[in-house]
Amino acid sequence: MTGLAGNRAPGSTYDRIYAVVGRVPPGRVLTYGEVARLAGLPGRARQVGYALYALEDAAKVPWQRIVNAEGRVSARREAGPAELQRNLLEGEGIVFGAGGRIDLQRFLWRP
DNA sequence: AAACTGACTAATA
DNA sequence: CTATTAGCCAGTT
């Protein structure tokens, strides 16, 4: 199978990313760049997105709390997951303004 | 092994 | 506001 999130090694880049994402509390969001930085991987925002893309649906990682630097849900190759993500975030109390933007100054998680 | 791909970001023009 | 350039790197083909 093509699933790669299943056989990730402890201490690997992906593992660090998932660990950081897993610490984001409900009702808060983090940007890809912040996740990378907190994971000790500054400048690797793209890898964060790729790691989440590789994640399995049933994973316990709150992937929906990761948005881009503009405070918007990043578009995927196929539409659908993005709407699900927004729906989940609104369910946690996140407010989307005009243009589908989130007020990062208010919802960005600061550990 | 080499090329291709992609949930990003910041800087510049 | 849009467009371009550059930096980043693991997984897939």
Short mmCIF file of all heavy atoms in Angstrom, two decimals, chain C residues 1-12:
data_model
loop_
_atom_site.label_atom_id
_atom_site.label_comp_id
_atom_site.label_asym_id
_atom_site.label_seq_id
_atom_site.Cartn_x
_atom_site.Cartn_y
_atom_site.Cartn_z
P DC C 1 -4.95 41.22 -0.26
OP1 DC C 1 -5.37 42.50 0.27
OP2 DC C 1 -5.65 39.99 0.07
"O5'" DC C 1 -4.92 41.34 -1.86
"C5'" DC C 1 -6.11 41.64 -2.58
"C4'" DC C 1 -5.74 42.00 -4.03
"O4'" DC C 1 -4.99 43.22 -4.02
"C3'" DC C 1 -4.82 40.96 -4.67
"O3'" DC C 1 -5.65 39.98 -5.28
"C2'" DC C 1 -4.10 41.81 -5.70
"C1'" DC C 1 -3.96 43.16 -5.02
N1 DC C 1 -2.66 43.39 -4.38
C2 DC C 1 -1.54 43.65 -5.17
O2 DC C 1 -1.70 43.67 -6.40
N3 DC C 1 -0.34 43.87 -4.59
C4 DC C 1 -0.21 43.84 -3.26
N4 DC C 1 0.99 44.07 -2.72
C5 DC C 1 -1.33 43.56 -2.42
C6 DC C 1 -2.52 43.34 -3.02
P DT C 2 -5.08 38.51 -5.57
OP1 DT C 2 -6.22 37.67 -6.00
OP2 DT C 2 -4.24 38.13 -4.44
"O5'" DT C 2 -4.10 38.71 -6.82
"C5'" DT C 2 -4.60 39.21 -8.04
"C4'" DT C 2 -3.46 39.30 -9.05
"O4'" DT C 2 -2.43 40.17 -8.53
"C3'" DT C 2 -2.80 37.94 -9.31
"O3'" DT C 2 -2.49 37.82 -10.70
"C2'" DT C 2 -1.53 38.00 -8.49
"C1'" DT C 2 -1.20 39.48 -8.53
N1 DT C 2 -0.42 39.93 -7.36
C2 DT C 2 0.86 40.41 -7.53
O2 DT C 2 1.39 40.48 -8.63
N3 DT C 2 1.49 40.80 -6.38
C4 DT C 2 0.99 40.77 -5.10
O4 DT C 2 1.66 41.16 -4.15
C5 DT C 2 -0.36 40.26 -4.99
C7 DT C 2 -1.00 40.18 -3.66
C6 DT C 2 -1.00 39.87 -6.11
P DA C 3 -1.91 36.39 -11.23
OP1 DA C 3 -2.35 36.24 -12.62
OP2 DA C 3 -2.18 35.33 -10.24
"O5'" DA C 3 -0.33 36.67 -11.23
"C5'" DA C 3 0.18 37.72 -12.03
"C4'" DA C 3 1.70 37.65 -12.08
"O4'" DA C 3 2.28 38.21 -10.88
"C3'" DA C 3 2.28 36.24 -12.22
"O3'" DA C 3 3.31 36.26 -13.20
"C2'" DA C 3 2.81 35.92 -10.83
"C1'" DA C 3 3.18 37.30 -10.30
N9 DA C 3 3.06 37.44 -8.85
C8 DA C 3 2.00 37.11 -8.06
N7 DA C 3 2.17 37.39 -6.79
C5 DA C 3 3.44 37.96 -6.74
C6 DA C 3 4.22 38.48 -5.69
N6 DA C 3 3.79 38.53 -4.43
N1 DA C 3 5.44 38.95 -5.98
C2 DA C 3 5.86 38.91 -7.24
N3 DA C 3 5.22 38.45 -8.33
C4 DA C 3 4.01 37.99 -8.00
P DT C 4 4.10 34.91 -13.58
OP1 DT C 4 4.40 34.97 -15.03
OP2 DT C 4 3.38 33.74 -13.02
"O5'" DT C 4 5.47 35.10 -12.79
"C5'" DT C 4 6.12 36.38 -12.83
"C4'" DT C 4 7.39 36.33 -12.01
"O4'" DT C 4 7.12 36.59 -10.63
"C3'" DT C 4 8.14 35.00 -12.08
"O3'" DT C 4 9.51 35.23 -12.36
"C2'" DT C 4 7.93 34.40 -10.71
"C1'" DT C 4 7.79 35.65 -9.84
N1 DT C 4 6.99 35.45 -8.62
C2 DT C 4 7.51 35.89 -7.41
O2 DT C 4 8.61 36.40 -7.31
N3 DT C 4 6.71 35.71 -6.32
C4 DT C 4 5.45 35.14 -6.30
O4 DT C 4 4.84 35.06 -5.24
C5 DT C 4 4.96 34.68 -7.59
C7 DT C 4 3.62 34.02 -7.69
C6 DT C 4 5.74 34.86 -8.67
P DT C 5 10.52 33.98 -12.47
OP1 DT C 5 11.57 34.35 -13.44
OP2 DT C 5 9.75 32.72 -12.63
"O5'" DT C 5 11.18 33.98 -11.02
"C5'" DT C 5 11.67 35.21 -10.47
"C4'" DT C 5 12.52 34.90 -9.24
"O4'" DT C 5 11.67 34.87 -8.08
"C3'" DT C 5 13.25 33.56 -9.30
"O3'" DT C 5 14.58 33.74 -8.86
"C2'" DT C 5 12.44 32.67 -8.38
"C1'" DT C 5 11.85 33.66 -7.38
N1 DT C 5 10.54 33.29 -6.81
C2 DT C 5 10.33 33.54 -5.46
O2 DT C 5 11.16 34.03 -4.73
N3 DT C 5 9.07 33.20 -5.00
C4 DT C 5 8.06 32.64 -5.74
O4 DT C 5 6.98 32.40 -5.20
C5 DT C 5 8.36 32.41 -7.14
C7 DT C 5 7.32 31.81 -8.03
C6 DT C 5 9.57 32.75 -7.61
P DA C 6 15.61 32.51 -8.99
OP1 DA C 6 16.90 33.09 -9.37
OP2 DA C 6 15.04 31.39 -9.75
"O5'" DA C 6 15.70 32.08 -7.46
"C5'" DA C 6 15.84 33.08 -6.46
"C4'" DA C 6 15.56 32.49 -5.09
"O4'" DA C 6 14.14 32.32 -4.90
"C3'" DA C 6 16.20 31.11 -4.86
"O3'" DA C 6 16.87 31.12 -3.61
"C2'" DA C 6 14.99 30.17 -4.80
"C1'" DA C 6 13.94 31.10 -4.22
N9 DA C 6 12.57 30.67 -4.46
C8 DA C 6 12.02 30.25 -5.63
N7 DA C 6 10.74 29.94 -5.53
C5 DA C 6 10.46 30.18 -4.19
C6 DA C 6 9.28 30.04 -3.43
N6 DA C 6 8.12 29.63 -3.94
N1 DA C 6 9.33 30.35 -2.12
C2 DA C 6 10.49 30.77 -1.62
N3 DA C 6 11.64 30.95 -2.21
C4 DA C 6 11.57 30.63 -3.52
P DG C 7 18.03 30.03 -3.41
OP1 DG C 7 19.27 30.74 -3.05
OP2 DG C 7 18.03 29.08 -4.54
"O5'" DG C 7 17.53 29.24 -2.11
"C5'" DG C 7 17.30 29.97 -0.91
"C4'" DG C 7 16.38 29.18 0.01
"O4'" DG C 7 15.05 29.19 -0.54
"C3'" DG C 7 16.78 27.71 0.16
"O3'" DG C 7 16.98 27.41 1.53
"C2'" DG C 7 15.59 26.95 -0.38
"C1'" DG C 7 14.47 27.94 -0.25
N9 DG C 7 13.38 27.69 -1.17
C8 DG C 7 13.45 27.50 -2.53
N7 DG C 7 12.30 27.23 -3.08
C5 DG C 7 11.41 27.24 -2.02
C6 DG C 7 10.02 27.00 -1.98
O6 DG C 7 9.28 26.72 -2.93
N1 DG C 7 9.51 27.10 -0.71
C2 DG C 7 10.23 27.40 0.41
N2 DG C 7 9.57 27.44 1.56
N3 DG C 7 11.53 27.63 0.40
C4 DG C 7 12.05 27.53 -0.84
P DC C 8 17.76 25.97 1.88
OP1 DC C 8 18.92 26.23 2.69
OP2 DC C 8 17.88 25.16 0.64
"O5'" DC C 8 16.70 25.25 2.83
"C5'" DC C 8 15.41 25.51 2.73
"C4'" DC C 8 14.51 24.33 3.09
"O4'" DC C 8 13.36 24.50 2.28
"C3'" DC C 8 15.05 22.94 2.81
"O3'" DC C 8 15.29 22.24 4.02
"C2'" DC C 8 13.93 22.23 2.06
"C1'" DC C 8 12.94 23.29 1.69
N1 DC C 8 12.86 23.50 0.23
C2 DC C 8 11.62 23.50 -0.39
O2 DC C 8 10.61 23.33 0.32
N3 DC C 8 11.53 23.66 -1.73
C4 DC C 8 12.65 23.83 -2.45
N4 DC C 8 12.52 23.99 -3.76
C5 DC C 8 13.94 23.86 -1.84
C6 DC C 8 14.00 23.69 -0.50
P DC C 9 16.30 21.03 3.94
OP1 DC C 9 16.76 20.79 5.32
OP2 DC C 9 17.28 21.27 2.87
"O5'" DC C 9 15.37 19.81 3.50
"C5'" DC C 9 14.29 19.41 4.32
"C4'" DC C 9 13.48 18.30 3.65
"O4'" DC C 9 12.79 18.79 2.50
"C3'" DC C 9 14.35 17.13 3.15
"O3'" DC C 9 13.69 15.94 3.43
"C2'" DC C 9 14.36 17.34 1.65
"C1'" DC C 9 12.96 17.85 1.45
N1 DC C 9 12.69 18.52 0.17
C2 DC C 9 11.45 18.32 -0.45
O2 DC C 9 10.62 17.62 0.10
N3 DC C 9 11.20 18.89 -1.65
C4 DC C 9 12.14 19.66 -2.22
N4 DC C 9 11.85 20.20 -3.39
C5 DC C 9 13.41 19.91 -1.59
C6 DC C 9 13.64 19.33 -0.40
P DA C 10 14.42 14.67 3.93
OP1 DA C 10 14.90 14.89 5.31
OP2 DA C 10 15.36 14.29 2.87
"O5'" DA C 10 13.24 13.59 3.96
"C5'" DA C 10 12.11 13.84 4.77
"C4'" DA C 10 10.86 13.24 4.12
"O4'" DA C 10 10.56 13.95 2.91
"C3'" DA C 10 11.02 11.77 3.74
"O3'" DA C 10 9.79 11.12 3.98
"C2'" DA C 10 11.36 11.83 2.26
"C1'" DA C 10 10.58 13.06 1.80
N9 DA C 10 11.21 13.77 0.69
C8 DA C 10 12.53 14.11 0.55
N7 DA C 10 12.80 14.77 -0.56
C5 DA C 10 11.56 14.86 -1.18
C6 DA C 10 11.16 15.44 -2.40
N6 DA C 10 11.99 16.07 -3.22
N1 DA C 10 9.85 15.36 -2.73
C2 DA C 10 9.02 14.74 -1.91
N3 DA C 10 9.28 14.15 -0.74
C4 DA C 10 10.59 14.25 -0.43
P DG C 11 9.73 9.57 3.95
OP1 DG C 11 8.98 9.16 5.16
OP2 DG C 11 11.07 9.01 3.69
"O5'" DG C 11 8.82 9.29 2.69
"C5'" DG C 11 7.52 9.85 2.68
"C4'" DG C 11 6.92 9.77 1.28
"O4'" DG C 11 7.66 10.61 0.39
"C3'" DG C 11 6.93 8.37 0.67
"O3'" DG C 11 5.65 8.14 0.10
"C2'" DG C 11 8.01 8.44 -0.39
"C1'" DG C 11 7.95 9.89 -0.80
N9 DG C 11 9.18 10.45 -1.35
C8 DG C 11 10.44 10.41 -0.80
N7 DG C 11 11.34 11.03 -1.54
C5 DG C 11 10.62 11.49 -2.63
C6 DG C 11 11.06 12.23 -3.76
O6 DG C 11 12.17 12.64 -4.02
N1 DG C 11 10.00 12.48 -4.64
C2 DG C 11 8.71 12.07 -4.45
N2 DG C 11 7.83 12.40 -5.39
N3 DG C 11 8.28 11.39 -3.40
C4 DG C 11 9.29 11.13 -2.53
P DT C 12 5.32 6.71 -0.52
OP1 DT C 12 3.95 6.39 -0.08
OP2 DT C 12 6.42 5.77 -0.22
"O5'" DT C 12 5.30 7.01 -2.09
"C5'" DT C 12 4.51 8.09 -2.57
"C4'" DT C 12 4.64 8.21 -4.09
"O4'" DT C 12 5.89 8.85 -4.43
"C3'" DT C 12 4.59 6.87 -4.84
"O3'" DT C 12 3.70 7.00 -5.94
"C2'" DT C 12 6.02 6.67 -5.29
"C1'" DT C 12 6.54 8.09 -5.44
N1 DT C 12 7.99 8.27 -5.26
C2 DT C 12 8.69 8.99 -6.21
O2 DT C 12 8.17 9.48 -7.21
N3 DT C 12 10.03 9.14 -5.97
C4 DT C 12 10.72 8.65 -4.89
O4 DT C 12 11.93 8.86 -4.78
C5 DT C 12 9.94 7.90 -3.94
C7 DT C 12 10.61 7.31 -2.73
C6 DT C 12 8.62 7.76 -4.16
#
